[in-house]
Amino acid sequence: MTGIIRKCMKITVITVGKLKESFYRQAVAEYAKRLGRYCKLELREVEDEKTPDGASGAQCEQILKREGERIRRFLPDNAYVVTLEIEGRRFTSEAFADQINKLFVGGTGSLFFVIGGSLGLHHTIKERSDLAVSFSDMTFPHQLMRVILLEQIYRAYRIINKEPYHK
């Protein structure tokens, strides 16, 4: 790592759907508090669409399209966008930290992370992405992915700043 990032970078996490369970809200709040030391964090939720049981491919496409349009409203044209996709690139925690640091050192002042809903992300959001990241081949609830993403961003800042963090 070449630089120490202080509160210069803005990170926006855009997610589909609300956090319903209090334990997820508490975990997100805890990592948001911890990240306040390192960056300006903004959490944005867009409304999710209800997916009927046995939804057809066309219905799923319409749901993804509507959710994608809501996400798009929060993405400035010049934003650096990181989407969470099962097909995305995998990183170790150290490599993820290095990627964030390189973006910051290279002049990227803000990052936009996007987590889709239960059906994933519309192809227009995937196409808009500058970097697709995968945390696993497994599927996680999108509410849990918020916690995992925020924990990994926090871990990245600890690594960048050469601060201890459990392995």
Side-chain angles (χ1 to χ4, degrees), residues 20-149:
K20 297 174 182 97
E21 293 85 356
S22 63
F23 56 90
Y24 287 137
R25 287 194 305 270
Q26 290 168 353
V28 166
E30 177 62 27
Y31 282 109
K33 181 177 88 175
R34 291 181 187 190
L35 281 165
R37 175 175 172 217
Y38 300 103
C39 64
K40 183 177 188 299
L41 179 68
E42 184 174 11
L43 303 171
R44 297 282 190 160
E45 293 178 337
V46 299
E47 184 182 352
D48 59 339
E49 294 286 321
K50 303 299 175 227
T51 305
D53 291 338
S56 70
Q59 286 174 306
C60 290
E61 174 63 22
Q62 279 302 103
I63 289 167
L64 286 170
K65 183 179 179 188
R66 285 192 291 269
E67 290 175 349
E69 288 166 351
R70 292 180 189 128
I71 291 167
R72 192 83 162 151
R73 288 185 216 142
F74 290 109
L75 297 175
D77 289 338
N78 62 346
Y80 192 94
V81 177
V82 180
T83 49
L84 273 57
E85 304 178 38
I86 203 162
E87 308 86 9
R89 181 175 163 197
R90 294 237 186 111
F91 290 89
T92 63
S93 293
E94 293 79 7
F96 186 65
D98 191 48
Q99 181 71 31
I100 289 173
N101 194 48
K102 283 179 183 174
L103 289 168
F104 177 73
V105 171
T108 301
S110 61
L111 292 177
F112 289 76
F113 288 89
V114 181
I115 302 173
S118 60
L119 296 177
L121 293 167
H122 192 256
H123 69 88
T124 58
I125 300 301
K126 291 180 178 185
E127 291 164 3
R128 172 62 186 85
S129 178
D130 295 292
L131 175 65
V133 174
S134 173
F135 283 88
S136 174
D137 285 337
M138 295 181 191
T139 301
F140 297 103
H142 53 278
Q143 297 94 338
L144 179 58
M145 273 314 303
R146 289 186 215 193
V147 178
I148 294 170
L149 173 62

